[in-house]
Amino acid sequence: MMASPHAPVLLDEVIEALDPKPGEVMIDATFGAGGYTRAILARGATVVGLDRDPTVRAHAEAVAADFPGRFELKQTPFSGLSAAFAETDHDRLDGAVFDIGVSSMQLDQAERGFSFMRDGPLDMRMSAEGESAADIVNSWDHGPLAHILKLYGEERQSGRVATAILRRRVERPFTRTLDLAEVVEKALGGRRGAAIHPATRTFQALRIAVNDELGELTAGLEAAEAALAPGGRLAVVTFHSLEDRIVKAFLTERTGNAPGGSRHAPLQIETRAPSFTLMFKGAREAGEAERAANPRARSARLRAAVRTDASAWGRMAA
């Protein structure tokens, strides 16, 4: 058995929500090192793993060897979930789990460029395709750059950071992570006793933009809705407020709890039966022991729901 370099967060809570059983089929939409997948397989279910990161293949091969005939990997982002499942030999999907964001495994690989604590190429691409973080900081205009820093990184001084980046890139382009982190730190006046590194929000924003993480999350939730069978379980673990807001809003709408229109409106939009029911109110968080053992668990939140027999939200109700 290959040792996992990444500890899955809220594992017990996720497995409780998914409740995998022998004969059932589930999707681990963020396979990574296979932590959730192994736990699901250990309960007797079959797993289809999804991941757009090509470096996870060694972990996938190890899982396939340990659980022959009950696991396969599809290299695809969240948005490809429904299509990927349709390509398998399975006709019913009983559960899906998402673990949103970057993994500790990716952060630990300096050559991937995700971390401001390790020197490496300024990349951040999970799939090794498309525009890199270096492409963004070296070519985007001030307005769009400041916009994503504020929107995705929630950086209050996004304009100042964007200005510092544009001024420095005139001298020479950014190619390394620590180079960018140093420029951002200077632009924000150094650490000054801050609880987090000054470059944290900038790196988060760039990573989200490079990988279209929020767009993929929305598309992935919709794909899971389309693919899950009635009674199928959905579990989503998020790590910051931007992700959690999307999941919360999605489930609020799909469970029929979104605010309705005015009864005095001249034209009423056809209502649809809820496509999900919540497993529990609000979000579950990691316990003290897990937060102490795994710093990544401190901001983790789990939301879960069960698929109803109603049609998908984007389709006309029967």
Side-chain angles (χ1 to χ4, degrees):
M1 180 182 292
M2 184 176 182
S4 172
H6 171 72
V9 173
L10 290 165
L11 178 60
D12 292 342
E13 291 83 355
V14 165
I15 296 303
E16 179 183 358
L18 291 177
D19 190 22
K21 303 177 184 68
E24 291 188 328
V25 180
M26 301 201 165
I27 278 182
D28 182 349
T30 42
F31 173 75
Y36 293 126
T37 288
R38 286 185 177 276
I40 295 168
L41 290 167
R43 296 280 293 267
T46 294
V47 175
V48 178
L50 308 182
D51 208 304
R52 56 175 162 176
D53 186 344
T55 68
V56 307
R57 189 154 297 279
H59 297 289
E61 292 172 353
V63 170
D66 292 336
F67 299 91
R70 289 200 288 123
F71 171 76
E72 62 181 301
L73 178 71
K74 298 286 188 179
Q75 190 170 332
T76 181
F78 296 157
S79 55
L81 183 152
S82 185
F85 185 72
E87 294 174 354
T88 71
D89 296 329
H90 310 298
D91 56 8
R92 176 185 169 90
L93 181 62
D94 299 290
V97 56
F98 292 77
D99 177 1
I100 310 304
V102 67
S103 71
S104 55
M105 180 174 66
Q106 290 166 325
L107 289 172
D108 290 341
Q109 297 172 343
E111 67 273 13
R112 304 298 298 279
F114 288 105
S115 176
F116 50 80
M117 302 299 290
R118 294 176 173 83
D119 188 40
L122 190 57
D123 195 321
M124 301 192 192
R125 294 173 297 176
M126 291 181 180
S127 65
E129 297 178 349
E131 194 173 37
S132 70
D135 293 329
I136 291 177
V137 298
N138 288 322
S139 65
W140 282 27
D141 292 338
H142 184 279
L145 181 57
H147 176 69
I148 65 165
L149 296 180
K150 183 176 182 179
L151 179 65
Y152 298 153
E154 299 179 297
E155 173 55 69
R156 291 184 295 274
Q157 300 187 63
S158 58
R160 178 181 293 185
V161 174
T163 297
I165 289 173
L166 266 65
R167 284 177 178 170
R168 214 313 296 277
R169 79 187 192 194
V170 172
E171 302 172 12
R172 65 182 188 281
F174 289 95
T175 61
R176 311 292 294 181
T177 54
L178 292 188
D179 183 20
L180 176 61
E182 181 179 356
V183 168
V184 174
E185 185 172 0
K186 288 181 178 178
L188 297 179
R191 295 178 185 273
R192 294 184 178 178
I196 63 172
H197 190 286
T200 300
R201 294 184 177 90
T202 293
F203 271 65
Q204 173 182 295
L206 289 171
R207 190 199 80 222
I208 290 174
V210 164
N211 298 289
D212 187 24
E213 291 181 24
L214 303 185
E216 280 293 328
L217 172 56
T218 298
L221 293 172
E222 293 173 351
E225 177 188 37
L228 282 167
R233 285 81 72 194
L234 173 67
V236 187
V237 178
T238 60
F239 292 89
H240 62 70
S241 59
L242 294 175
E243 301 161 348
D244 186 57
R245 277 182 225 143
I246 289 174
V247 179
K248 180 180 179 181
F250 175 84
L251 291 178
T252 296
E253 181 181 54
R254 291 334 201 248
T255 54
N257 292 314
S262 169
R263 63 185 178 89
H264 300 295
L267 178 64
Q268 295 293 318
I269 298 174
E270 181 182 6
T271 59
R272 296 180 174 90
S275 55
F276 283 98
T277 57
L278 294 178
M279 287 189 185
F280 46 81
K281 187 176 180 180
R284 289 186 177 172
E285 300 179 2
E288 292 184 13
E290 184 174 6
R291 291 199 301 268
N294 184 1
R296 188 168 179 261
R298 294 171 188 166
S299 60
R301 297 168 69 85
L302 168 66
R303 296 184 186 272
V306 179
R307 188 71 168 87
T308 71
D309 59 1
S311 62
W313 196 260
R315 306 168 190 160
M316 295 298 292

